[in-house]
Each structure stands twice: as structure tokens, then as C-alpha cells.
Amino acid sequence: MTSDLPDGYEISTDPARLDAALVHRWLSQDAYWALGRSREKQDQAIAGSLNFGVYHRASGAQTGYARVVTDRATFAWLCDVYIAPAARGRGLGTALAAAVRDHLAPYGLRRIMLATADAHRVYARAGFAPLAEPERWMVLGTP
């Protein structure tokens, strides 16, 4: 699976390739939205989601992650997008978001949503845009 990936990287949806311990460490210790998330909760999230890993081709080391919660018919939520600090600045985040978009395209989903506090430009490069009518959306849960 490729989506304008920098040379030397690949993206896979094979759950057997995921380094779940590494993903948990990244998210629970470095991602503002998941700080303190338990390993059990992370493993549940992985099990219930469509997962994407970014891997360095030569070493096989995982350098990024994203997961999608979807019914594969009408809606998807892109979340937990993370690129290892040493691999940032190479376009991997945008390539990962584009790979998710391309992977989901055959389902004909009405909408793919995400939330970000600081990576709007990364997602815009993959075609995401702000909500046209955010006042229509509501949330139940903690902010």
C-alpha cells in the first residue's frame, strides 16, 4: 500500500505486524489525547479498529500508527495518528492520512472524521477540511 510515501517506508494494515507495546508507549506517554491510556484500553482499541502501521522498509521497524473506527458503510473516525519523533518532517503523517483515505474509498463512506489540536495542515494535504457546520455536531463524554 503506497500513498506518496517517502522512499524507504511502507504502510500495512496487517495487524500481525503491529508492535502493540510500542504503539501503547507512543500514545500513553507522548500523545496529548491519550496520555495515561492503559495498555488494556489500548489493546481493546486496536482489537476493535482497522489499524495502519508505517514501517521502515530496510529495518522493518514501526515508525507510525493510525487506527480507524468504522462501520465500513457510512462513517469512519480516524484517530490515534502518530509518527515517531525521529521520523517526523518527512511527510509520513500526510502519507498515512492519504493511505487511510485511499483504503476507505471503496466503501463509499459519506464521511471520514478526525479531530486534531495541532496538525490541521498535515490532514489538509490529504484532503481533509474543517467542518462546514460545526454547530450541528455534538459530543457526549469528556472534552
Side-chain angles (χ1 to χ4, degrees), residues 9 17 22 26 54-64:
Y9 292 91
R17 291 188 69 183
L22 177 63
W26 282 341
V54 180
Y55 303 91
H56 189 264
R57 244 189 219 124
S59 69
Q62 187 170 349
T63 57

Side-chain angles (χ1 to χ4, degrees), residues 13 15 18 20 37 39-52 65-72 75-80 104:
T13 57
L18 288 177
R37 183 182 291 168
R39 175 66 192 267
E40 178 183 23
K41 188 65 75 175
Q42 184 59 48
D43 288 348
Q44 288 175 327
I46 288 171
S49 300
L50 173 60
N51 299 278
F52 294 77
Y65 175 74
R67 69 184 183 92
V68 175
V69 180
T70 184
D71 60 10
R72 291 180 172 90
F75 182 81
W77 179 261
L78 172 59
C79 53
D80 287 346
L104 296 174

